[in-house]
Amino acid sequence: MIVWISFITLIVIFLAIDLGIFNKNPHEITNKEATVWTTIWVSTALLFSLVIYFIFKHGWLENPDSLTPTKALLKYITGYLIELSLSIDNIFVIAVIFTSFRIPKMYQHRVLFWGIIGAIVFRALMILFGVLLIKKFDWIIYVFGAFLIYTGIKMAFEKEDDAYDPKDSFIYKTIRKIIPVTPIINSENFFVRKKHLLVATPLFIALIVIEFTDILFALDSIPAILAITSDPFLVFSSNIMAILGLRSMYFFLANMLERFGYLKYSLVVILSYVGVKMILSHHVDIPEWLSLTIIGMSLGAGILFSLYKEKKEVAE
């Protein structure tokens, strides 16, 4: 429990420093600031793999899967990269949500901050439930694997013009029925008072839609990382580290999303591979270095091909 409490305390400190010091006053996140923070979060997550190594080396955690320190380190990094790559798709949707509700850039960080607090809680519950299912019912791993392959195929044949409009969602329509909503944004507050009536602002609506959207994305990402390992701490830590970097990565990529249109197919390959790995896990031992290589090559190919097509279109 000491390791778990220490890790959660560390996350709380990170979040407190982020909101209480560096983002105390609402401001528009510049590309330079987003780049710096993205570098910090990714570096922190990768350096944490050394902590994972020492935790398993000294036996500070229960090790139900009998993982060696090196294998635990590789599983953590593989899980982190999978979660990070699947988060890219989430970034596209967040951009659409902010645009739809016309959230000013200076207030977007606050919405994402509280969105990530909720995501940590929901994902912790989903990870706990997923690990318990796999431990209790071995066959559930085939269901998860088939679901990931189905998701990858569905994503591959999804049409570009199938635009997602948050205002057409069930969540948005339900909130409008429960509480009055004002279209005006004058501050970073989620609620304001108008004539002694508590009214929700578009920031609150965007926050709730983002929370429910993240839950839907977690239905893909949680089974994906459970294909790599069922060790609760490795699953939770790699997932949370990826989520912590999601905000800065959003601001880093928000203005460049159109340039990386072919990353969608990278995610198709990753989801399909992880699904197949999950189905074969009881019969074939696929080494972690192979998983890392396939994930890295898929992401690299998606980025390079996107840049190549962009350069070709500019030349034409």
Side-chain angles (χ1 to χ4, degrees):
M1 289 304 296
I2 293 175
V3 174
W4 280 94
I5 293 170
S6 300
F7 179 71
I8 293 170
T9 303
L10 184 66
I11 299 305
V12 171
I13 291 172
F14 281 161
L15 292 172
I17 291 173
D18 189 353
L19 188 66
I21 299 177
F22 293 104
N23 292 283
K24 186 177 182 180
N25 299 315
H27 65 283
E28 184 176 331
I29 307 295
T30 63
N31 287 337
K32 181 180 179 180
E33 186 178 355
T35 303
V36 170
W37 276 107
T38 300
T39 304
I40 289 173
W41 284 120
V42 172
S43 300
T44 301
L46 293 177
L47 285 172
F48 190 75
S49 63
L50 299 178
V51 177
I52 294 290
Y53 181 88
F54 283 105
I55 287 174
F56 280 82
K57 182 179 180 180
H58 295 287
W60 295 337
L61 265 180
E62 187 180 353
N63 189 359
D65 298 334
S66 301
L67 298 174
T68 64
T70 302
K71 200 161 189 177
L73 181 148
L74 288 174
K75 284 183 178 292
Y76 165 80
I77 294 177
T78 306
Y80 172 73
L81 290 177
I82 286 178
E83 293 302 316
L84 205 61
S85 58
L86 293 178
S87 295
I88 294 172
D89 209 32
N90 203 352
I91 289 173
F92 280 88
V93 177
I94 291 173
V96 172
I97 293 170
F98 280 149
T99 302
S100 178
F101 292 109
R102 298 177 181 177
I103 307 298
K105 289 186 176 181
M106 66 185 299
Y107 300 139
Q108 289 179 4
H109 182 276
R110 178 176 170 81
V111 176
L112 284 176
F113 176 88
W114 290 108
I116 279 164
I117 296 290
I120 289 173
V121 175
F122 284 124
R123 292 203 180 202
L125 294 173
M126 293 177 75
I127 288 168
L128 176 64
F129 184 66
V131 170
L132 287 176
L133 275 178
I134 286 181
K135 297 292 185 185
K136 193 169 183 64
F137 306 105
D138 284 348
W139 53 266
I140 202 73
I141 200 165
Y142 299 116
V143 177
F144 284 165
F147 176 72
L148 291 176
I149 294 172
Y150 165 76
T151 304
I153 294 172
K154 183 182 176 184
M155 187 183 291
F157 290 99
E158 200 172 51
K159 295 180 181 178
E160 293 294 332
D161 55 1
D162 290 342
Y164 168 68
D165 187 356
K167 292 183 178 179
D168 290 335
S169 66
F170 172 77
I171 301 300
Y172 174 73
K173 293 176 181 178
T174 302
I175 295 172
R176 290 293 299 265
K177 292 177 182 178
I178 297 173
I179 187 170
V181 179
T182 176
I184 301 171
I185 304 175
N186 289 328
S187 67
E188 63 175 1
N189 296 325
F190 292 115
F191 295 94
V192 294
R193 286 203 172 272
K194 283 196 170 184
K195 297 180 179 179
H196 306 291
L197 186 67
L198 192 64
V199 180
T201 66
L203 271 70
F204 177 74
I205 306 299
L207 172 63
I208 299 300
V209 175
I210 286 174
E211 290 286 12
F212 276 89
T213 302
D214 184 75
I215 292 174
L216 293 176
F217 275 101
L219 293 176
D220 296 336
S221 65
I222 300 301
I225 196 169
L226 288 174
I228 303 302
T229 177
S230 59
D231 184 283
F233 187 74
L234 291 180
V235 175
F236 183 70
S237 58
S238 58
N239 209 287
I240 299 309
M241 283 297 188
I243 291 175
L244 287 176
L246 182 61
R247 286 161 305 147
S248 56
M249 189 168 289
Y250 166 78
F251 293 108
F252 178 66
L253 293 176
N255 298 325
M256 299 186 289
L257 290 178
E258 295 300 323
R259 297 184 62 187
F260 302 119
Y262 286 91
L263 271 177
K264 166 187 170 181
Y265 299 103
S266 298
L267 301 183
V268 170
V269 172
I270 291 171
L271 283 173
S272 301
Y273 165 74
V274 172
V276 171
K277 184 179 188 296
M278 213 165 196
I279 291 172
L280 297 177
S281 61
H282 287 162
H283 312 285
V284 180
D285 185 20
I286 299 176
E288 299 307 322
W289 64 264
L290 180 59
S291 298
L292 276 171
T293 302
I294 291 174
I295 293 167
M297 288 180 66
S298 299
L299 289 173
I303 293 171
L304 290 175
F305 195 69
S306 297
L307 295 176
Y308 167 75
K309 291 292 288 186
E310 180 190 44
K311 186 176 179 181
K312 186 177 180 182
E313 288 171 4
V314 170
E316 289 176 351

